Amino acid sequence: MSAPAGRLAGRIALVTGASRGIGRAVAKRFAAEGAELVLIARTVGGLEELDDEIRGINGRTSLLVPLDLRDFDAIDRLGQALYDRFGRLDVLVGNAGDLGTITPVGHIEPKEWQRVLDVNLTANWRLIRSLDPLLRLSDAGRAIFVSSAAARGARAFWGTYAISKAALEMLVTTYAEEI
């Protein structure tokens, strides 16, 4: 089966949190539109299952990157590896997220606070830092980050998640203004 000629034919797209939910759906849609995919998730099994589905859609395999986005040094190395392999990146979808525990702010455990901020905010900053040069090598580079309505209104017990997503929105809107 040959790859479909769609709106993303010839484009290289990276999706974080690709093994489940929104990331999985985005990856499948991008595959149907002809994109060459770089899929990132913590679970190898989930990535392999998705790759099997994508092969059924477009006949190609994806580049599977099992990675915990809290491994910031690995994110830094990712940019170089993608440059060596592709020479550019056309689409970055920062989708991976961590909800954390729904609990009063005063009860949030410091390790959980840090984990949620690391995944929802810091990892996306590190992705921008590592992959922005590759997006600039594309003739139409795009960065898309998944947020939440929780970022735009206080809601009891959702503190860690809401705060991390509000900070993510400020990060990416600042990045957008800069570029």
Side-chain angles (χ1 to χ4, degrees):
M1 173 188 292
S2 64
R7 292 182 294 175
L8 297 176
R11 298 292 183 183
I12 301 154
L14 182 148
V15 180
T16 69
S19 65
R20 302 184 308 192
I22 293 170
R24 184 182 199 89
V26 167
K28 289 170 68 173
R29 179 61 188 195
F30 281 14
E33 291 290 345
E36 186 163 348
L37 295 169
V38 178
L39 304 175
I40 296 178
R42 288 178 299 160
T43 56
V44 175
L47 286 171
E48 290 173 343
E49 288 173 14
L50 176 58
D51 191 45
D52 290 342
E53 291 178 42
I54 287 172
R55 241 178 306 176
I57 293 169
N58 67 14
R60 296 189 314 222
T61 60
S62 303
L63 176 59
L64 306 181
V65 182
L67 175 65
D68 183 333
L69 290 175
R70 294 175 298 161
D71 183 347
F72 303 135
D73 291 337
I75 293 174
D76 291 346
R77 292 188 301 271
L78 178 65
Q80 183 63 51
L82 294 175
Y83 178 79
D84 291 345
R85 180 159 183 161
F86 301 112
R88 72 175 200 286
L89 181 65
D90 299 299
V91 182
L92 162 62
V93 180
N95 165 71
D98 188 332
L99 177 63
T101 302
I102 307 302
T103 191
V105 170
H107 295 190
I108 299 166
E109 293 293 328
K111 285 183 180 180
E112 177 164 329
W113 173 269
Q114 192 61 58
R115 186 191 74 237
V116 173
L117 286 174
D118 284 350
V119 172
N120 295 353
L121 177 63
T122 306
N124 286 301
W125 167 67
R126 296 295 283 255
L127 286 164
I128 290 169
R129 190 170 163 265
S130 181
L131 302 178
D132 175 69
L134 294 173
L135 290 166
R136 290 174 185 266
L137 291 171
S138 171
D139 63 350
R142 298 289 186 264
I144 303 163
F145 295 89
V146 177
S147 185
S148 168
R152 290 178 294 285
R155 187 171 172 193
F157 311 115
W158 284 71
T160 312
Y161 182 73
I163 291 162
S164 69
K165 289 298 188 171
L168 172 65
E169 288 188 8
M170 184 54 68
L171 169 68
V172 300
T173 55
T174 300
Y175 174 55
E177 286 293 319
E178 293 170 353
I179 59 170

